[in-house]
Each structure stands twice: as C-alpha cells, then as structure tokens.
Amino acid sequence: MEALYTAEALSTGAGRDGRVATSDGSFALDLAIPKEMGGSGAGTNPEQLFAAGYAACFHSALQGVARAQKVKIADSSVGGRVQIGPNGNGGYQLAVLLEVVLPGLEHDQAQALADAAHQVCPYSNATRGNIDVTITVSED
C-alpha cells in the first residue's frame, strides 16, 4: 500500500490507565478503565476513541458516496458504539454498532448509501471479517 498519510500516537503510563498523545500535538488524553470494567472511569478509553474514529471515518465515506451519486445528504450524522466483552478464550473481543441518520431520504435509498459507504470506509475494510459491525439507518 502506498500511504497517503500516517497518524502517529504514543501510549504511556499503564496502558488503559495512562495517557495517549499524537506526535503532532493535536491531542493528548488521560486514559482510564471504565467503571463497568472495574476502573475509575475518570478518563477516556480505547473503545471511545475507536467509536469516535469509526463514526467520523464512516460519515466521511458516506458523504463521499453521496457526492459520487449526486445525492444531497444535509444534516446527516453517524453515531458509533463500540462494545467490549470476553471472547471465551481468556481474551476480549469488540463489536461495533453504527447508526446512520439521513433525514429526508427514503429508507431504501438511505440503506443503499450506507451499504456503499461500508464498502469503501477504511475502518469497515479493516474490521470486515474480524468483528461484528451492525449498521442501522434512520431518518431522525
């Protein structure tokens, strides 16, 4: 693959109870284990970062597909949820739920755009076949 861009971040401290920062200084965050997993919950966590990244990436792919098909999708949004749970082998696994909101479009057209975005989104391509990704489409 010819890289168009490379993002770089460094995790320090105790992993999930540490700090993460990008090399360009655009963000630095304290990390904390969620209360649901026995931590303090006093910071963000990798699942929240993944949910935000996937939602933004998928939204960009959705907008690109809509532009290519000459479909206007004003006021669109994509919500991302990332779940973590045991995989039965002593480790953990993730699942992703994306909610695509496309006001003013017929459900079939909105679903077709979401399906097309799922084929081109880099996060979707990276996770395909590895974790469950569920995409729902609504008008509001």
Side-chain angles (χ1 to χ4, degrees), residues 5-26:
Y5 169 74
T6 300
E8 189 175 334
L10 178 66
S11 172
T12 57
R16 287 178 170 274
D17 264 336
R19 187 161 177 79
V20 66
T22 58
S23 61
D24 67 359
S26 64

Side-chain angles (χ1 to χ4, degrees), residues 52-68 73 76-78 113 117-118 120-123:
Y54 202 154
C57 189
F58 194 90
H59 197 192
S60 183
L62 184 69
Q63 291 173 337
V65 166
R67 268 192 311 277
I73 57 168
S76 64
S77 64
V78 175
L113 287 173
H118 192 44
V120 299
C121 173
Y123 276 62

Side-chain angles (χ1 to χ4, degrees), residues 56-140:
C57 189
F58 194 90
H59 197 192
S60 183
L62 184 69
Q63 291 173 337
V65 166
R67 268 192 311 277
Q69 295 182 18
K70 299 185 181 353
V71 176
K72 294 192 186 292
I73 57 168
D75 300 323
S76 64
S77 64
V78 175
R81 282 189 251 167
V82 172
Q83 300 173 322
I84 185 170
N87 67 2
N89 296 323
Y92 295 90
Q93 65 187 24
L94 300 175
V96 174
L97 305 148
L98 297 175
E99 182 182 5
V100 177
V101 180
L102 292 168
L105 291 184
E106 294 293 325
H107 181 78
D108 288 348
Q109 184 181 26
Q111 186 66 57
L113 287 173
D115 291 345
H118 192 44
Q119 294 306 308
V120 299
C121 173
Y123 276 62
S124 292
N125 288 330
T127 59
R128 188 171 288 112
N130 297 310
I131 65 173
D132 290 335
V133 177
T134 303
I135 301 169
T136 59
V137 176
S138 65
E139 296 178 26
D140 54 359

